[in-house]
Each structure stands twice: as C-alpha cells, then as structure tokens.
Amino acid sequence: MENKKLAVLFPGIGYTCMKPLLYYTAQAAQAHGYEILRLDYGEDIHAFRGRTEEELQPLYEMAVGRVMKTLRSVNWEIYQDILFISKSIGTAVACETARQLKLDALQFLMTPIRQTLSYLGMIRGCFVAGTADPVLDVVLLQKAAEEYPDKAGIIFEGCNHSLEKKDDTAGNIHRLGEVVELMERLLTEENKKQLIQNDHRKKE
C-alpha cells in the first residue's frame, strides 16, 4: 500500500507561499514525496501592516476560521504522513488547526509569534527563529529554546522576521539553505521512526 503524504503550507501576513522560506521548504517536501496544499487567508489579511500582539490576535483568529473551511474538506484518513509548514502568524494557525482537527501533524515552524509558544509542549517538530525578530521578543524566544530544546531547530543570531540580515545577501541565501536542510533532516528522522514502528508491528 502506498504511503501517502501531505504537506500543508501556512503563510504569514504578506509572506505568501511563493516567498523563499515557504517556496523552498515546499520544494523539499515535494522531493520527499509529499503532496502540497497551499493555503491563503485572503487579501485583506495579507495586506495588513500591523505586527503587535494585540493587532495580530484578531487576524490569527480570522485566519484560523478561514482555513478550517478548506482543511475540513481534506480526507485526512488517506494520508499516513502529514506535515504542516508554517511562517509567522501561520505557525499559530497551523498549531491551532491541528488541535481542532485532532491531527498528529509534524510541525515545521518558521519565525513563530508569541501565540505559537503555548503549543510547543503539545507538538512534534521544531521551530526556527532569529534573535532580531521584532515580532517575537528575544527573551521569550530564548526561554522557549531553553524549555523545549528538542523543538529549537536553529536560532539565527541577529536575524529578522525573514531570517535575514541587512546587506548580507550571500549569508541570507546560506541561511535559507540551512533551514531547508533542517527540515529535510526532520523528515528523514521521522521516516526512520515510522519504519521502525512499522517493523515492530509486523513482528507483533
């Protein structure tokens, strides 16, 4: 029986699925045999300029409501592997929708927002972030990395909300590659775990 896999992309505000971090992680997932489902919150959310916690909360709730309509139409039972790849506000949306749908999705969280941190103890997967991200206070980021070291994939020193540094094009491209490589390692490790589990079931 074919092992069907689905990767769902949760964009940020204005950071669509065609932007580098989501575009290349999706390509990597596809190379690992995942079907790709790209979500969209609507132009009104993507055009929003506010980034404070108070401004993001209603947008987060609105985004969850909108994508749940699409996600409820997916036949999740036919997929053995489910991967949620997310950016910014999408990290919180991905965690909350997985909770509502009762999905044990593997989460790859890029530049999480404060609302995402409360889910870290409940998920499988990891996050990547920058210490100069204005959306997430560095003290909260460091605390999350200390509390959940197994979920702290890469913390990029001095990088912003796009995991970039100003006037460092070559470095930014290199860091993008590091993020993609981290996700590929995560997928490889999860695949090994599943093979071991399947082998145990066969022996039973």
Side-chain angles (χ1 to χ4, degrees):
M1 180 175 157
E2 182 188 3
N3 184 30
K4 289 180 70 66
K5 305 176 181 181
L6 178 65
V8 185
L9 270 60
F10 295 78
I13 297 175
Y15 199 99
T16 69
C17 294
M18 300 311 292
K19 292 288 184 76
L21 289 167
L22 289 170
Y23 179 82
Y24 286 106
T25 49
Q27 277 201 336
Q30 201 163 26
H32 280 260
Y34 286 81
E35 297 174 29
I36 306 297
L37 172 60
R38 296 174 175 85
L39 298 177
D40 188 276
Y41 309 133
E43 187 58 35
D44 54 339
I45 291 181
H46 284 304
F48 190 76
R49 297 298 177 195
R51 293 295 186 273
T52 67
E53 184 177 348
E54 293 74 20
E55 291 169 325
L56 288 176
Q57 183 62 32
L59 290 184
Y60 152 70
E61 294 171 359
M62 190 185 305
V64 169
R66 289 181 182 178
V67 300
M68 280 298 291
K69 294 176 184 177
T70 300
L71 296 176
R72 284 198 181 100
S73 69
V74 175
N75 183 7
W76 298 103
E77 293 182 358
I78 68 172
Y79 295 103
Q80 286 72 49
D81 293 337
I82 300 167
L83 170 65
F84 281 6
I85 305 173
S86 55
K87 171 77 174 73
S88 186
I89 193 174
T91 60
V93 176
C95 291
E96 175 58 20
T97 52
R99 187 194 68 80
Q100 290 189 26
L101 293 165
K102 296 180 172 60
L103 294 175
D104 184 29
L106 182 64
Q107 300 275 2
F108 191 71
L109 312 167
M110 296 182 285
T111 66
I113 62 174
R114 181 168 182 158
Q115 286 91 331
T116 314
L117 303 183
S118 62
Y119 295 96
L120 293 180
M122 316 172 201
I123 66 162
R124 292 187 302 121
C126 68
F127 67 89
V128 295
T131 61
D133 186 343
V135 178
L136 181 62
D137 186 276
V138 67
V139 174
L140 293 177
L141 171 60
Q142 291 170 340
K143 183 180 178 183
E146 290 170 3
E147 288 185 4
Y148 305 101
D150 57 323
K151 309 288 173 62
I154 307 176
I155 308 299
F156 291 103
E157 193 67 33
C159 286
N160 62 20
H161 196 55
S162 296
L163 299 181
E164 295 179 348
K165 292 181 181 179
K166 187 178 180 182
D167 301 324
D168 185 19
T169 304
N172 294 336
I173 293 171
H174 177 74
R175 282 182 284 275
L176 173 61
E178 287 186 86
V179 172
V180 173
E181 288 173 3
L182 172 65
M183 195 193 74
E184 290 190 309
R185 288 200 304 274
L186 182 67
L187 296 182
T188 301
E189 289 168 7
E190 285 298 314
N191 187 50
K192 286 179 181 176
K193 289 177 186 176
Q194 290 200 352
L195 288 173
I196 292 170
Q197 289 173 354
N198 291 339
D199 188 52
H200 284 326
R201 291 192 190 104
K202 288 176 184 175
K203 290 175 180 176
E204 289 170 2

